[in-house]
Amino acid sequence: MYVIVVYDVDQKRTGKMLKLCRRYLHWIQNSVLEGELTPMQLKQFKAEAHKLMQDNDSLIVFASRDEKWLEKEVLGAERGSTDTFL
């Protein structure tokens, strides 16, 4: 499944959350990541993220069966491209 994750955590945990997210997904902009995950990977990711989070932190997960069901348009500079050149 295609997943977009947006997080907002306390500054003290930002680095740890980004590191966790990048193990599963591709970084595209500040606190936004995207990529393909299996249902089990998504479940594992959410469990690990939950352990890092505290009361005022948030994690939003948008999930779709396939990336083709989403239209993505980038205005301005793209921070982290998911395109891979070989």
Side-chain angles (χ1 to χ4, degrees):
M1 85 180 41
Y2 185 73
V3 177
I4 298 172
V5 170
V6 180
Y7 66 86
D8 184 10
V9 297
D10 188 84
Q11 187 177 2
K12 293 179 260 181
R13 290 179 294 286
T14 301
K16 289 180 182 180
M17 184 62 80
L18 177 59
K19 187 175 180 178
L20 169 66
C21 291
R22 290 185 81 168
R23 284 195 351 235
Y24 290 89
L25 301 164
H26 303 283
W27 174 81
I28 58 171
Q29 186 176 25
N30 293 345
S31 300
V32 182
L33 297 97
E34 68 180 354
E36 291 282 338
L37 295 178
T38 65
M40 190 60 178
Q41 287 173 322
L42 180 58
K43 184 177 181 177
Q44 184 177 359
F45 165 70
K46 290 194 292 187
E48 290 181 47
H50 192 278
K51 289 179 186 176
L52 287 177
M53 296 170 63
Q54 294 186 2
D55 291 339
N56 293 325
D57 296 342
S58 67
L59 178 77
I60 301 171
V61 178
F62 299 93
S64 176
R65 285 180 280 150
D66 196 309
E67 182 180 3
K68 70 181 179 182
W69 298 108
L70 296 173
E71 184 174 324
K72 177 179 160 185
E73 180 179 1
V74 178
L75 303 176
E78 187 171 14
R79 304 243 176 161
S81 175
T82 57
D83 295 336
T84 304
F85 294 99
L86 298 176

